Amino acid sequence: MSTLRMFRKKPDDLGFFGKLGFYFLLILGALVSVFPFYWMFVVGTNDKGAVFHVPPLLTVGDQFFINFKRVLEKADFFQALGNSLFVSSMVTVSVVFFCTLAGYAFAKYEFPFKNALFVFVIATLIVPQQLGVLPTYVIMAKLHWIDSYKALIVPAMVNAFGIFWMRQYISSAVPTELIEAGRIDGGGHFRIFWNIAVPVITPAMATLGILNFMTVWNDFFWPLVVLKNKEHYTIQIALQQLFTTRDGLDYGMIMSATFTATLPLLIVFLLFSRWVIAGLTSGAIKS
Amino acid sequence: MAEPVITSPHAESKRPFLTEQRRSRITAYTFISPFFILFSIFGLYPIFFTFYLSFFKWDALNPMKFVGFKNYDLVTSDPTFWISFSNTLIMGLMGTVPQVMLALLLAVLLHSGMTKFKKTFRILYFMPNITSIVAVTLVFSTLFGNNGMINWMLNGLGLDSVAFNSGWWGVKIAISTMVMWRWTGYNAIIFLSGLQSIPMDLYESARIDGANRRQQLFSITLPLLKPFIIFVSLQSTIGALQLFTEPYVFLGQAGTGSTRQEGITMVTYLYSEAFRNGFFGTAAATAVMLFLVTILFSILNMLISRGSGGETGGKKA
């Protein structure tokens, strides 16, 4: 609000054309952000030649189900969607639980080497995933986890970002007096965590959950490395497999699949977007 | 889970040993242990093993054979590695530098009191980030096709078509556009949170002192935003060095991914060395070099950010 006053009082006020340019930029940016989603839908609902139409076709057609039928002929689309759903949910439940526990310990407990251990957790964020990918692959082979969901789930069950995120939130949102009161009443450590801390921090847990779900859902590199068998493919691998030149690129088919695969995430995001973005803007990097 | 319960029987029998303090320490260590256990197995051990592996010749099947620095020699004498290296840097620069500046501009626009529909804009700008990179790449590969929309627009402006899916620069432009599309809005949101954390009265008092908007930008906004700028550019740099999915999907039209020279990156190179050619030793050496480059660029990034911060500070004084 005070920015408004700031702008008005200024000698170099934006003026009408300034404002016009200002909104032009904002709206242009928004259009660029959204257009590919719309384009996905346009191509997915039109016939094969739609992509090469001159001038570009911009209207929604009625060929969606015909296109999508070809997807089902070429790939176990719903199987892949189910696989992604299963893996992402398992990882998310586990990440939220373990990261909340660890974040709670770092925020509310005193123990030797606490700071050093926390710095270590943060430091692991800089290490590129690819650095350890070969030995991790070998470990998976030794465990006979190649081509199994365990290879996707177990290494991802807890992560440094989540611990950092939950610690930030818990430090400010959970009053230490409340925990002490619980302890005086003789509650066990886990009971206090579960009954006193968790109810207060569910918004942060939900945000972490959604962010994590999207990350796992969209992961490509590691599933590509460990998954071999078609029935185990996650949706990302299945999508990539549709993109072949073997019989000419059928963009109508590809985009109907891409759109269907994007839709669930898009809906979830639009439902919870305020949470996600508010969470991102409040807890992201204050430390 | 019931970790704390485990400690109770001891607590009952040996009271002097399991004091309240000890018990709470054990609880804390139990709570943080999942991360450290999993990270040791799937993070720390693989990292050390990668360094070890980079000195061996190995195809993941037969016994390992010590070869010293030979893997590094092999990798650094492979022209494809150097192409992947320069591609990574070029696309990293093209995708990151304009993106961070654009995100900053967007954040300032979004933060301005003038803007209406702020929440809607924020959601729209964030939307690209939730899509999978595979989906993004597929969509953009149609837009960047030879007869695609981008070329149609270029022709409309009286320019020649660009071979976005086969030209040396075309491929790089296409791939860095995908990166920018996905991350600009996300970074704008991060910057926005930084802008929101700057107290308004700083601007009030600056205005009373007669500072104009530009002076306010350079002596209040940018210096106070510095931690956020460092965070965002560091994250973007690290992300750019690990570029894989976009080139892999965009150029891999046979469904098998691609190592085509126009778009091969260090991670694509690593991937094909290990999982297509079965050269785990040279792949490990590549991973080590990728790691060193990442550290180098992270440090460089910090130095530049710090240096530019000092400059604005100097101007102010």
Side-chain angles (χ1 to χ4, degrees):
Chain A
M1 288 313 118
S2 46
T3 338
L4 184 65
R5 268 183 279 128
M6 181 179 106
F7 272 109
R8 235 188 255 140
K9 271 188 188 170
K10 295 275 263 309
D12 49 350
D13 198 298
L14 278 177
F16 176 73
F17 289 104
K19 266 182 200 159
L20 204 69
F22 183 96
Y23 272 102
F24 177 75
L25 278 178
L26 268 179
I27 292 169
L28 187 74
L31 281 179
V32 170
S33 295
V34 179
F35 180 75
F37 291 97
Y38 179 69
W39 176 247
M40 207 190 272
F41 191 58
V42 167
V43 178
T45 54
N46 279 295
D47 62 31
K48 274 187 172 186
V51 191
F52 308 109
H53 210 276
V54 179
L57 206 61
L58 286 176
T59 47
V60 175
D62 56 0
Q63 309 279 302
F64 182 79
F65 291 103
I66 297 168
N67 286 333
F68 194 68
K69 228 168 144 184
R70 290 205 297 280
V71 175
L72 298 181
E73 282 162 19
K74 291 200 79 171
D76 284 335
F77 184 84
F78 288 109
Q79 166 94 49
L81 212 59
N83 293 343
S84 275
L85 191 70
F86 174 71
V87 170
S88 307
S89 315
M90 294 297 281
V91 171
T92 302
V93 168
S94 151
V95 160
V96 170
F97 180 71
F98 285 126
C99 291
T100 309
L101 267 184
Y104 175 74
F106 277 121
K108 294 296 171 192
Y109 280 88
E110 283 309 322
F111 50 91
F113 310 114
K114 180 168 123 168
N115 290 332
L117 288 172
F118 189 66
V119 168
F120 178 81
V121 170
I122 299 303
T124 63
L125 283 170
I126 316 173
V127 183
Q129 184 206 2
Q130 286 84 6
L131 182 60
V133 72
L134 304 167
T136 314
Y137 180 81
V138 175
I139 294 172
M140 294 304 167
K142 289 248 163 77
L143 292 170
H144 299 286
W145 284 4
I146 297 292
D147 206 22
S148 100
Y149 304 131
K150 274 178 269 180
L152 300 182
I153 296 169
V154 177
M157 277 170 62
V158 55
N159 65 56
F161 169 77
I163 295 176
F164 172 69
W165 174 272
M166 291 314 300
R167 193 201 79 127
Q168 294 299 97
Y169 194 86
I170 293 169
S171 315
S172 58
V174 183
T176 308
E177 302 83 62
L178 215 58
I179 295 170
E180 273 162 9
R183 199 145 306 153
I184 290 162
D185 288 350
H189 289 270
F190 186 77
R191 249 184 91 96
I192 293 170
F193 163 76
W194 193 253
N195 292 335
I196 296 177
V198 167
V200 185
I201 56 178
T202 30
M205 291 166 79
T207 310
L208 175 64
I210 296 166
L211 285 174
N212 190 268
F213 190 90
M214 296 195 300
T215 313
V216 180
W217 182 273
N218 288 331
D219 191 18
F220 180 73
F221 184 79
W222 183 238
L224 182 71
V225 169
V226 290
L227 297 182
K228 308 288 175 196
N229 199 321
K230 249 185 159 177
E231 351 169 335
H232 295 136
Y233 282 170
T234 59
I235 190 67
Q236 306 309 331
I237 311 287
L239 283 180
Q240 189 256 336
Q241 291 286 317
L242 289 175
F243 193 59
T244 70
T245 35
R246 258 171 262 148
D247 29 41
L249 280 176
D250 182 350
Y251 280 110
M253 173 199 72
I254 294 172
M255 288 303 149
S256 68
T258 312
F259 182 77
T260 317
T262 308
L263 202 60
L265 217 55
L266 202 63
I267 292 170
V268 170
F269 171 70
L270 290 176
L271 285 178
F272 297 103
S273 57
R274 288 218 318 195
W275 254 1
V276 177
I277 292 176
L280 264 181
T281 42
S282 70
I285 19 177
K286 273 176 225 166
S287 68
Chain B
M1 296 219 115
E3 285 93 332
V5 181
I6 300 164
T7 60
S8 336
H10 298 274
E12 276 158 36
S13 58
K14 285 272 175 284
R15 209 148 167 251
F17 175 71
L18 240 100
T19 57
E20 182 55 37
Q21 190 199 35
R22 278 216 171 99
R23 215 154 64 157
S24 91
R25 279 180 184 176
I26 291 170
T27 310
Y29 285 128
T30 316
F31 282 5
I32 64 170
S33 61
F35 174 81
F36 289 94
I37 293 168
L38 279 179
F39 186 76
S40 317
I41 303 171
F42 298 109
L44 213 55
Y45 169 74
I47 289 168
F48 286 113
F49 198 81
T50 301
F51 282 97
Y52 178 76
L53 191 56
S54 71
F55 298 106
F56 287 83
K57 185 181 171 179
W58 195 38
D59 59 1
L61 298 168
N62 297 305
M64 295 168 75
K65 191 174 156 237
F66 182 77
V67 292
F69 280 93
K70 194 156 171 247
N71 286 325
Y72 291 91
D73 286 342
L74 280 171
V75 171
T76 49
S77 60
D78 180 359
T80 310
F81 169 77
W82 290 109
I83 291 171
S84 78
F85 180 73
S86 64
N87 279 356
T88 307
L89 297 193
I90 293 170
M91 288 192 277
L93 274 175
M94 282 167 60
T96 307
V97 176
Q99 184 215 126
V100 172
M101 294 202 280
L102 228 116
L104 203 56
L105 175 73
L106 266 183
V108 171
L109 290 182
L110 273 181
H111 185 59
S112 155
M114 250 174 55
T115 310
K116 296 195 174 74
F117 311 111
K118 276 186 186 176
K119 277 184 181 150
T120 315
F121 275 123
R122 271 197 282 179
I123 292 171
L124 294 179
Y125 285 138
F126 196 75
M127 264 171 61
N129 196 251
I130 67 154
T131 345
S132 73
I133 309 181
V134 176
V136 172
T137 311
L138 295 178
V139 172
F140 276 82
S141 69
T142 73
L143 295 174
F144 280 112
N146 282 335
N147 301 311
M149 187 177 287
I150 311 273
N151 271 329
W152 176 77
M153 277 160 49
L154 288 176
N155 293 339
L157 294 169
L159 299 166
D160 287 334
S161 293
V162 177
F164 287 111
N165 45 27
S166 59
W168 181 262
W169 282 108
V171 166
K172 293 183 178 61
I173 293 169
I175 290 173
S176 19
T177 309
M178 296 175 208
V179 175
M180 280 179 68
W181 182 75
R182 190 174 162 78
W183 292 102
T184 307
Y186 173 89
N187 285 335
I189 301 291
I190 303 282
F191 281 140
L192 186 64
S193 73
L195 289 173
Q196 284 167 347
S197 71
I198 301 174
M200 272 300 160
D201 33 325
L202 274 179
Y203 292 102
E204 307 264 343
S205 51
R207 237 184 6 262
I208 291 165
D209 293 345
N212 66 26
R213 204 186 301 144
R214 227 180 76 231
Q215 287 167 324
Q216 287 176 27
L217 179 70
F218 281 107
S219 46
I220 300 174
T221 312
L222 288 183
L224 286 176
L225 211 56
K226 219 172 75 186
F228 291 82
I229 295 175
I230 293 175
F231 175 81
V232 163
S233 44
L234 196 65
Q235 222 185 22
S236 310
T237 310
I238 294 171
L241 291 170
Q242 294 174 30
L243 192 65
F244 171 77
T245 311
E246 289 92 342
Y248 184 89
V249 177
F250 184 58
L251 296 176
Q253 299 195 339
T256 51
S258 167
T259 45
R260 267 168 53 194
Q261 309 262 304
E262 303 90 11
I264 188 172
T265 61
M266 289 181 81
V267 178
T268 340
Y269 181 84
L270 188 163
Y271 177 84
S272 82
E273 280 293 282
F275 300 108
R276 199 161 310 153
N277 305 333
F279 300 150
F280 269 55
T282 47
T286 312
V288 170
M289 284 193 274
L290 177 71
F291 179 57
L292 296 179
V293 172
T294 308
I295 291 179
L296 188 75
F297 273 86
S298 304
I299 294 171
L300 211 67
N301 197 306
M302 296 292 237
L303 289 178
I304 293 171
S305 316
R306 194 168 296 165
S308 67
E311 239 175 70
T312 45
K315 258 179 212 161
K316 188 178 65 179

